Amino acid sequence: MTAVAAVALLTLTACGSAPGSSAPTSVALTTAPAPEGRVIATGTVIDGPEGAELCLGAIAESYPPQCQGVPLDGWSWQGVDGSETSGDTTWGAYAVYGLFDGERLEVTDPPIMLALYDPVSPEDPTGGREGATTEAELTRIQDELASRLHAEATSIWTERGYVWVGVPWDDGTLQDAVDSAYGEDVVIVTSMLRAAD
């Protein structure tokens, strides 16, 4: 299974401690069920010697750029504008529709250049409220999740009083798991792939 393979879900138990406490949390990784129907994601597509991938997280500031992304099946540059090429690598920023099997994204529709894509803004899951968790506790939780998720998470950071976790795909199960472990309104899970159908 690749590093960005199906979004890892956390099965967390608080080891007898209350949610949000500083006691160690036992975390086991399992695979999320793949989404039914098409999904859409926005990001940089990098097509190099090892094939095309959609970058959903950090991109190395190299030339050409590099990332650890979701492999793309059926990707073609034919009729696609907005790309740049250096050596044997071509890349560009697009909205991509496809079917996600938990590891790979099979492209189903022509990609849309991000400059021409008008996405629906997702709702703020916090409702605009600042989180109430202390900075020290947020740092502890961030470090704990980073050590257990490793590359399965596309990003983990703290902001506005929450720990934010970006993952390729979550159907709400990961969010429920972290809520059970740390309490509600502590960890916010963001799915990079969104249901399109």
Side-chain angles (χ1 to χ4, degrees):
M1 182 175 289
T2 64
V4 293
V7 173
L9 297 180
L10 292 173
T11 305
L12 299 105
T13 56
C15 300
S17 59
S21 74
S22 59
T25 301
S26 173
V27 179
L29 296 180
T30 60
T31 4
E36 296 181 9
R38 294 184 313 155
V39 293
I40 185 170
T42 58
T44 298
V45 173
I46 299 177
D47 188 5
E50 297 182 5
E53 57 188 342
L54 176 62
C55 305
L56 300 177
I59 300 174
E61 295 182 3
S62 56
Y63 194 84
Q66 302 174 61
C67 76
Q68 182 67 40
V70 173
L72 293 174
D73 293 329
W75 178 265
S76 172
W77 293 103
Q78 185 173 356
V80 176
D81 296 325
S83 65
E84 188 173 350
T85 299
S86 176
D88 53 6
T89 301
T90 301
W91 67 95
Y94 304 96
V96 181
Y97 287 89
L99 299 172
F100 185 59
D101 67 2
E103 293 187 16
R104 307 179 69 86
L105 186 66
E106 180 183 352
V107 179
T108 57
D109 299 63
I112 304 169
M113 286 177 54
L114 280 191
L116 303 176
Y117 179 64
D118 186 17
V120 176
S121 297
E123 290 185 18
D124 180 351
T126 71
R129 299 181 305 274
E130 292 288 321
T133 308
T134 66
E135 192 64 35
E137 182 67 359
L138 291 174
T139 299
R140 183 194 69 80
I141 293 170
Q142 178 184 6
D143 292 345
E144 185 173 272
L145 290 175
S147 70
R148 285 158 171 81
L149 284 173
H150 299 292
E152 280 84 0
T154 58
S155 55
I156 301 177
W157 75 100
T158 60
E159 183 181 347
R160 295 194 295 120
Y162 304 92
V163 176
W164 297 77
V165 180
V167 291
W169 168 254
D170 182 45
D171 60 1
T173 309
L174 175 54
Q175 184 67 68
D176 291 343
V178 293
D179 287 349
S180 296
Y182 301 113
E184 295 186 3
D185 298 324
V186 176
V187 179
I188 306 296
V189 177
T190 303
S191 180
M192 302 292 102
L193 297 169
R194 295 180 292 108
D197 292 329

Short mmCIF file of all heavy atoms in Angstrom, two decimals, residues 109-150:
data_model
loop_
_atom_site.label_atom_id
_atom_site.label_comp_id
_atom_site.label_asym_id
_atom_site.label_seq_id
_atom_site.Cartn_x
_atom_site.Cartn_y
_atom_site.Cartn_z
N ASP A 109 -12.91 12.39 -16.07
CA ASP A 109 -13.34 13.57 -16.82
C ASP A 109 -12.11 14.38 -17.21
O ASP A 109 -11.07 14.27 -16.57
CB ASP A 109 -14.24 14.47 -15.96
CG ASP A 109 -15.50 13.78 -15.49
OD1 ASP A 109 -15.39 12.79 -14.74
OD2 ASP A 109 -16.60 14.25 -15.84
N PRO A 110 -12.23 15.21 -18.25
CA PRO A 110 -11.11 16.09 -18.58
C PRO A 110 -10.80 17.02 -17.40
O PRO A 110 -11.72 17.55 -16.78
CB PRO A 110 -11.63 16.89 -19.79
CG PRO A 110 -12.71 16.04 -20.37
CD PRO A 110 -13.34 15.34 -19.22
N PRO A 111 -9.54 17.20 -17.07
CA PRO A 111 -9.20 18.08 -15.95
C PRO A 111 -9.52 19.54 -16.29
O PRO A 111 -9.61 19.93 -17.45
CB PRO A 111 -7.69 17.87 -15.78
CG PRO A 111 -7.22 17.43 -17.12
CD PRO A 111 -8.34 16.63 -17.71
N ILE A 112 -9.70 20.34 -15.23
CA ILE A 112 -10.00 21.75 -15.38
C ILE A 112 -8.84 22.54 -14.79
O ILE A 112 -8.44 22.30 -13.64
CB ILE A 112 -11.30 22.13 -14.65
CG1 ILE A 112 -12.47 21.27 -15.15
CG2 ILE A 112 -11.61 23.62 -14.80
CD1 ILE A 112 -13.73 21.39 -14.31
N MET A 113 -8.29 23.46 -15.56
CA MET A 113 -7.23 24.32 -15.02
C MET A 113 -7.75 25.05 -13.79
O MET A 113 -8.87 25.57 -13.79
CB MET A 113 -6.77 25.34 -16.06
CG MET A 113 -5.93 24.78 -17.18
SD MET A 113 -5.52 26.06 -18.39
CE MET A 113 -4.79 27.33 -17.35
N LEU A 114 -6.94 25.12 -12.75
CA LEU A 114 -7.39 25.78 -11.52
C LEU A 114 -7.73 27.24 -11.77
O LEU A 114 -8.61 27.80 -11.11
CB LEU A 114 -6.32 25.66 -10.43
CG LEU A 114 -6.27 24.34 -9.67
CD1 LEU A 114 -5.37 24.47 -8.46
CD2 LEU A 114 -7.66 23.89 -9.24
N ALA A 115 -7.03 27.87 -12.72
CA ALA A 115 -7.32 29.27 -13.01
C ALA A 115 -8.74 29.46 -13.55
O ALA A 115 -9.30 30.55 -13.46
CB ALA A 115 -6.31 29.80 -14.02
N LEU A 116 -9.33 28.38 -14.09
CA LEU A 116 -10.67 28.45 -14.66
C LEU A 116 -11.72 27.75 -13.80
O LEU A 116 -12.89 27.73 -14.15
CB LEU A 116 -10.68 27.81 -16.06
CG LEU A 116 -9.69 28.38 -17.07
CD1 LEU A 116 -9.75 27.59 -18.37
CD2 LEU A 116 -9.97 29.86 -17.31
N TYR A 117 -11.28 27.18 -12.68
CA TYR A 117 -12.18 26.38 -11.84
C TYR A 117 -12.78 27.25 -10.75
O TYR A 117 -12.07 27.98 -10.06
CB TYR A 117 -11.40 25.22 -11.22
CG TYR A 117 -12.22 24.34 -10.32
CD1 TYR A 117 -13.29 23.60 -10.81
CD2 TYR A 117 -11.91 24.24 -8.97
CE1 TYR A 117 -14.04 22.79 -9.98
CE2 TYR A 117 -12.65 23.41 -8.13
CZ TYR A 117 -13.71 22.70 -8.64
OH TYR A 117 -14.45 21.88 -7.82
N ASP A 118 -14.09 27.18 -10.60
CA ASP A 118 -14.80 27.98 -9.61
C ASP A 118 -15.41 27.04 -8.58
O ASP A 118 -16.57 26.64 -8.71
CB ASP A 118 -15.87 28.83 -10.28
CG ASP A 118 -16.54 29.79 -9.31
OD1 ASP A 118 -15.97 30.03 -8.23
OD2 ASP A 118 -17.64 30.28 -9.63
N PRO A 119 -14.66 26.67 -7.56
CA PRO A 119 -15.17 25.70 -6.60
C PRO A 119 -16.18 26.31 -5.65
O PRO A 119 -16.20 27.53 -5.43
CB PRO A 119 -13.91 25.27 -5.84
CG PRO A 119 -13.05 26.49 -5.87
CD PRO A 119 -13.32 27.14 -7.21
N VAL A 120 -17.02 25.44 -5.07
CA VAL A 120 -17.91 25.87 -4.00
C VAL A 120 -17.09 25.89 -2.72
O VAL A 120 -16.44 24.90 -2.38
CB VAL A 120 -19.10 24.90 -3.87
CG1 VAL A 120 -19.97 25.28 -2.68
CG2 VAL A 120 -19.91 24.85 -5.15
N SER A 121 -17.08 27.01 -2.04
CA SER A 121 -16.29 27.12 -0.82
C SER A 121 -16.86 26.19 0.25
O SER A 121 -18.06 26.24 0.54
CB SER A 121 -16.29 28.55 -0.29
OG SER A 121 -15.69 29.41 -1.22
N PRO A 122 -16.01 25.33 0.82
CA PRO A 122 -16.51 24.44 1.88
C PRO A 122 -16.85 25.23 3.13
O PRO A 122 -16.28 26.29 3.39
CB PRO A 122 -15.33 23.49 2.12
CG PRO A 122 -14.13 24.27 1.69
CD PRO A 122 -14.59 25.16 0.56
N GLU A 123 -17.80 24.72 3.89
CA GLU A 123 -18.16 25.37 5.14
C GLU A 123 -17.01 25.23 6.13
O GLU A 123 -16.29 24.25 6.12
CB GLU A 123 -19.42 24.74 5.72
CG GLU A 123 -20.68 25.02 4.94
CD GLU A 123 -21.91 24.45 5.65
OE1 GLU A 123 -21.82 24.15 6.86
OE2 GLU A 123 -22.94 24.30 4.99
N ASP A 124 -16.86 26.23 6.97
CA ASP A 124 -15.87 26.16 8.04
C ASP A 124 -16.39 25.19 9.09
O ASP A 124 -17.42 25.47 9.73
CB ASP A 124 -15.67 27.55 8.63
CG ASP A 124 -14.64 27.58 9.75
OD1 ASP A 124 -14.19 26.50 10.19
OD2 ASP A 124 -14.29 28.69 10.19
N PRO A 125 -15.72 24.05 9.30
CA PRO A 125 -16.24 23.07 10.26
C PRO A 125 -16.25 23.58 11.70
O PRO A 125 -16.93 23.02 12.55
CB PRO A 125 -15.28 21.88 10.11
CG PRO A 125 -14.04 22.46 9.53
CD PRO A 125 -14.47 23.61 8.68
N THR A 126 -15.53 24.66 11.96
CA THR A 126 -15.51 25.21 13.32
C THR A 126 -16.62 26.23 13.54
O THR A 126 -16.82 26.70 14.67
CB THR A 126 -14.16 25.90 13.60
OG1 THR A 126 -14.08 27.12 12.83
CG2 THR A 126 -12.99 24.99 13.26
N GLY A 127 -17.32 26.59 12.47
CA GLY A 127 -18.34 27.62 12.59
C GLY A 127 -17.77 28.99 12.90
O GLY A 127 -18.48 29.89 13.36
N GLY A 128 -16.44 29.14 12.64
CA GLY A 128 -15.80 30.42 12.90
C GLY A 128 -15.39 30.62 14.34
O GLY A 128 -14.87 31.69 14.69
N ARG A 129 -15.59 29.62 15.18
CA ARG A 129 -15.25 29.73 16.60
C ARG A 129 -13.77 29.40 16.84
O ARG A 129 -13.23 28.50 16.21
CB ARG A 129 -16.11 28.80 17.45
CG ARG A 129 -17.60 29.07 17.38
CD ARG A 129 -18.37 28.12 18.27
NE ARG A 129 -18.07 26.73 17.99
CZ ARG A 129 -18.68 26.00 17.05
NH1 ARG A 129 -19.62 26.57 16.30
NH2 ARG A 129 -18.36 24.74 16.85
N GLU A 130 -13.15 30.07 17.76
CA GLU A 130 -11.80 29.74 18.19
C GLU A 130 -11.87 28.51 19.08
O GLU A 130 -12.79 28.35 19.88
CB GLU A 130 -11.19 30.91 18.97
CG GLU A 130 -10.91 32.14 18.13
CD GLU A 130 -9.74 31.95 17.18
OE1 GLU A 130 -8.75 31.31 17.58
OE2 GLU A 130 -9.82 32.45 16.04
N GLY A 131 -10.87 27.63 18.97
CA GLY A 131 -10.82 26.46 19.83
C GLY A 131 -10.41 26.84 21.24
O GLY A 131 -9.77 27.87 21.46
N ALA A 132 -10.77 25.97 22.20
CA ALA A 132 -10.50 26.26 23.61
C ALA A 132 -9.35 25.44 24.18
O ALA A 132 -9.02 25.59 25.35
CB ALA A 132 -11.77 26.01 24.43
N THR A 133 -8.73 24.59 23.37
CA THR A 133 -7.65 23.73 23.85
C THR A 133 -6.37 24.53 23.98
O THR A 133 -6.06 25.37 23.14
CB THR A 133 -7.45 22.55 22.87
OG1 THR A 133 -8.71 21.90 22.65
CG2 THR A 133 -6.47 21.54 23.43
N THR A 134 -5.60 24.25 25.02
CA THR A 134 -4.36 24.99 25.25
C THR A 134 -3.33 24.68 24.15
O THR A 134 -3.37 23.61 23.53
CB THR A 134 -3.74 24.65 26.61
OG1 THR A 134 -3.32 23.27 26.59
CG2 THR A 134 -4.73 24.86 27.74
N GLU A 135 -2.43 25.60 23.95
CA GLU A 135 -1.40 25.42 22.93
C GLU A 135 -0.53 24.21 23.23
O GLU A 135 -0.14 23.46 22.33
CB GLU A 135 -0.54 26.68 22.82
CG GLU A 135 0.36 26.71 21.60
CD GLU A 135 -0.41 26.73 20.29
OE1 GLU A 135 -1.49 27.35 20.24
OE2 GLU A 135 0.07 26.11 19.31
N ALA A 136 -0.21 24.00 24.51
CA ALA A 136 0.61 22.86 24.88
C ALA A 136 -0.08 21.54 24.56
O ALA A 136 0.54 20.59 24.06
CB ALA A 136 0.95 22.92 26.38
N GLU A 137 -1.38 21.47 24.81
CA GLU A 137 -2.13 20.24 24.52
C GLU A 137 -2.27 20.05 23.01
O GLU A 137 -2.18 18.92 22.51
CB GLU A 137 -3.50 20.30 25.18
CG GLU A 137 -4.36 19.06 25.00
CD GLU A 137 -3.83 17.82 25.71
OE1 GLU A 137 -2.75 17.90 26.35
OE2 GLU A 137 -4.46 16.77 25.59
N LEU A 138 -2.48 21.12 22.28
CA LEU A 138 -2.56 21.01 20.83
C LEU A 138 -1.25 20.48 20.25
O LEU A 138 -1.26 19.62 19.36
CB LEU A 138 -2.88 22.37 20.21
CG LEU A 138 -4.28 22.94 20.46
CD1 LEU A 138 -4.39 24.35 19.90
CD2 LEU A 138 -5.36 22.05 19.87
N THR A 139 -0.15 20.98 20.77
CA THR A 139 1.16 20.52 20.30
C THR A 139 1.35 19.04 20.59
O THR A 139 1.85 18.28 19.75
CB THR A 139 2.28 21.34 20.94
OG1 THR A 139 2.12 22.71 20.57
CG2 THR A 139 3.65 20.86 20.48
N ARG A 140 0.94 18.61 21.79
CA ARG A 140 1.06 17.19 22.15
C ARG A 140 0.23 16.32 21.21
O ARG A 140 0.69 15.30 20.71
CB ARG A 140 0.60 16.97 23.59
CG ARG A 140 0.78 15.52 24.06
CD ARG A 140 0.02 15.25 25.34
NE ARG A 140 -1.42 15.26 25.18
CZ ARG A 140 -2.12 14.24 24.69
NH1 ARG A 140 -1.50 13.14 24.28
NH2 ARG A 140 -3.42 14.32 24.58
N ILE A 141 -1.00 16.74 20.95
CA ILE A 141 -1.89 15.96 20.09
C ILE A 141 -1.35 15.95 18.66
O ILE A 141 -1.36 14.91 17.98
CB ILE A 141 -3.32 16.53 20.13
CG1 ILE A 141 -3.92 16.32 21.53
CG2 ILE A 141 -4.21 15.88 19.08
CD1 ILE A 141 -5.23 17.06 21.75
N GLN A 142 -0.89 17.10 18.17
CA GLN A 142 -0.31 17.18 16.83
C GLN A 142 0.86 16.21 16.69
O GLN A 142 0.94 15.46 15.71
CB GLN A 142 0.15 18.60 16.53
CG GLN A 142 0.82 18.76 15.18
CD GLN A 142 1.37 20.16 14.96
OE1 GLN A 142 1.35 20.99 15.86
NE2 GLN A 142 1.86 20.43 13.78
N ASP A 143 1.76 16.21 17.66
CA ASP A 143 2.91 15.31 17.61
C ASP A 143 2.48 13.85 17.65
O ASP A 143 3.03 13.00 16.95
CB ASP A 143 3.87 15.61 18.77
CG ASP A 143 4.55 16.96 18.63
OD1 ASP A 143 4.51 17.54 17.53
OD2 ASP A 143 5.12 17.43 19.63
N GLU A 144 1.48 13.56 18.48
CA GLU A 144 1.00 12.19 18.61
C GLU A 144 0.38 11.68 17.30
O GLU A 144 0.67 10.59 16.83
CB GLU A 144 -0.03 12.11 19.74
CG GLU A 144 -0.52 10.71 20.04
CD GLU A 144 -1.39 10.70 21.27
OE1 GLU A 144 -0.86 10.56 22.39
OE2 GLU A 144 -2.63 10.85 21.11
N LEU A 145 -0.45 12.51 16.69
CA LEU A 145 -1.08 12.12 15.43
C LEU A 145 -0.04 12.01 14.32
O LEU A 145 -0.11 11.10 13.49
CB LEU A 145 -2.16 13.13 15.04
CG LEU A 145 -3.42 13.13 15.91
CD1 LEU A 145 -4.35 14.26 15.50
CD2 LEU A 145 -4.13 11.79 15.84
N ALA A 146 0.93 12.92 14.30
CA ALA A 146 1.96 12.86 13.26
C ALA A 146 2.77 11.57 13.37
O ALA A 146 3.12 10.95 12.36
CB ALA A 146 2.88 14.07 13.37
N SER A 147 3.05 11.14 14.60
CA SER A 147 3.86 9.93 14.77
C SER A 147 3.10 8.68 14.39
O SER A 147 3.70 7.67 14.02
CB SER A 147 4.35 9.83 16.22
OG SER A 147 3.27 9.53 17.09
N ARG A 148 1.77 8.74 14.46
CA ARG A 148 0.99 7.55 14.14
C ARG A 148 0.50 7.53 12.70
O ARG A 148 0.38 6.48 12.09
CB ARG A 148 -0.19 7.44 15.11
CG ARG A 148 0.26 6.98 16.49
CD ARG A 148 -0.73 7.35 17.58
NE ARG A 148 -0.35 6.71 18.83
CZ ARG A 148 0.58 7.17 19.66
NH1 ARG A 148 1.26 8.26 19.34
NH2 ARG A 148 0.87 6.54 20.78
N LEU A 149 0.21 8.69 12.15
CA LEU A 149 -0.26 8.74 10.76
C LEU A 149 0.88 8.72 9.76
O LEU A 149 0.71 8.27 8.63
CB LEU A 149 -1.10 10.00 10.54
CG LEU A 149 -2.51 9.97 11.11
CD1 LEU A 149 -3.17 11.33 10.96
CD2 LEU A 149 -3.35 8.90 10.44
N HIS A 150 2.03 9.26 10.13
CA HIS A 150 3.18 9.34 9.22
C HIS A 150 2.74 9.99 7.91
O HIS A 150 2.14 11.05 7.91
CB HIS A 150 3.80 7.96 9.00
CG HIS A 150 4.30 7.34 10.26
ND1 HIS A 150 5.38 7.83 10.95
CD2 HIS A 150 3.85 6.27 10.97
CE1 HIS A 150 5.59 7.10 12.02
NE2 HIS A 150 4.68 6.16 12.07
#
